Amino acid sequence: NPQAGIALAMGAQAGAQQFLINHTRENESEADRIGMHTMADVDLDPNGMASFFEKMEQTTRYMRLPPPVLLTHPVTQQRIADARSRAADLPSKQPPASLRFRLMQAKLRDLSLQDIKQQEREVTQLQKDAPDDVVTLYRSALLAVRQHDHAVAEREIGKLRSIDAGNISFILLQNQLWQAQNRSAQAEQLLEQALRLHPAHHALTVAYTEHLLRSNRAARARELLLAYVSQPEREPNVYQLLAAAQQAAGYSDEVH
């Protein structure tokens, strides 16, 4: 019976596919387990993996088509439950939240929030709960820069820099404000001073070379970036900026 033969072939193919899926899920479970043990070994909270899975599941719940990585490695309730169960058997140590961490967390929150009204609500709540906290001032300054409220931004950044004039997060925010105000000479002086104190610092190098490119000094930007990438363990995303500097300076062969 030809139809029986076709059915047999299709069944065999489906069985092989299911075997591969089961094999992939086993690998995935093993990867989750190893990842959680690695987190515990370096004193990170292993519960963070389950929390992250939950956030991914909530974010993609109503998507018609999830991101490609979740098509082959879906975040299921079973996977979340397994992560919670494993975390319960591992040592959990909450590292103290340093100021640098809290500032980076605030900056990421500002960058990820598309709804400026939500940003306003959060800053207002922070101002009620902890008006003198450094992170409150920082969030307030970020919001003011985003809203082009330069007077408020200048006031809040002034407070921050009076607390710690050498803090790189505050320096970069001051640069961002001065660039928006077309005070490029002051911004350049600020960045040059900071780079003398922190040579080859990634964020400062990027900010300074972006300023040079805006000021039509591509040759200087190229020179600085070539020196930066010649050192080991540099951030790879700087190469895009280097290519732009090379192109603007007339070194199209280097771009290729």
Side-chain angles (χ1 to χ4, degrees):
N1 186 332
Q3 290 183 341
I6 293 171
L8 182 63
M10 290 177 67
Q13 187 177 19
Q17 189 67 33
Q18 185 61 49
F19 173 79
L20 289 174
I21 290 171
N22 291 341
H23 182 66
T24 303
R25 296 279 164 79
E26 289 174 8
N27 291 345
E28 181 178 80
S29 178
E30 178 71 358
D32 289 350
R33 185 187 67 78
I34 293 172
M36 294 182 75
H37 276 275
T38 302
M39 291 173 72
D41 289 344
V42 295
D43 294 333
L44 293 175
D45 184 7
N47 286 290
M49 182 174 284
S51 299
F52 183 58
F53 287 161
E54 286 174 346
K55 289 178 183 177
M56 290 173 70
E57 195 268 338
Q58 290 165 8
T59 302
T60 60
R61 182 179 301 167
Y62 301 112
M63 285 185 180
R64 191 170 54 130
L65 186 65
V69 67
L70 295 184
L71 291 175
T72 51
H73 298 277
V75 178
T76 62
Q77 288 297 320
Q78 181 63 46
R79 192 176 179 190
I80 293 170
D82 288 346
R84 286 281 178 219
S85 177
R86 290 194 188 100
D89 296 330
L90 292 170
S92 176
K93 181 179 178 181
Q94 290 284 356
S98 66
L99 177 61
R100 182 169 179 267
F101 172 81
R102 294 175 66 216
L103 292 173
M104 290 300 98
Q105 192 177 41
K107 182 67 178 291
L108 286 171
R109 182 64 178 162
D110 176 73
L111 290 170
S112 63
L113 269 178
Q114 299 298 318
D115 183 359
I116 198 163
K117 294 296 183 185
Q118 177 63 26
Q119 175 83 325
E120 290 174 353
R121 286 191 292 270
E122 291 183 8
V123 169
T124 300
Q125 189 60 49
L126 285 172
Q127 290 170 339
K128 289 179 181 177
D129 297 340
D132 299 322
D133 187 71
V134 173
V135 174
T136 301
L137 296 173
Y138 187 62
R139 286 286 303 270
S140 178
L142 287 169
L143 175 61
V145 170
R146 189 171 172 182
Q147 293 177 319
H148 307 290
D149 190 342
H150 295 164
V152 172
E154 193 75 69
R155 185 188 69 218
E156 300 296 73
I157 294 171
K159 292 178 184 177
L160 290 168
R161 299 199 65 208
S162 69
I163 295 169
D164 184 0
N167 187 295
I168 292 175
S169 292
F170 306 158
I171 290 171
L172 291 169
L173 189 55
Q174 181 75 81
N175 168 66
Q176 188 180 344
L177 174 63
W178 282 348
Q179 295 289 353
Q181 294 175 312
N182 295 318
R183 296 162 66 180
S184 57
Q186 288 174 275
E188 182 172 333
Q189 185 179 12
L190 177 71
L191 293 171
E192 284 178 347
Q193 290 173 349
L195 273 170
R196 279 197 291 270
L197 291 172
H198 306 278
H201 185 280
H202 176 73
L204 291 171
T205 299
V206 168
Y208 185 52
T209 51
E210 286 177 340
H211 167 76
L212 291 173
L213 287 172
R214 281 192 297 269
S215 305
N216 298 317
R217 284 179 285 166
R220 172 64 181 136
R222 168 184 169 273
E223 179 185 328
L224 193 150
L225 287 169
L226 284 173
Y228 176 80
V229 300
S230 69
Q231 302 177 58
E233 298 182 8
R234 291 299 171 217
E235 297 286 342
N237 64 337
V238 81
Y239 284 97
Q240 188 172 3
L241 190 59
L242 173 58
Q246 290 167 330
Q247 184 67 53
Y251 293 87
S252 56
D253 56 326
E254 293 184 359
V255 179
H256 296 301

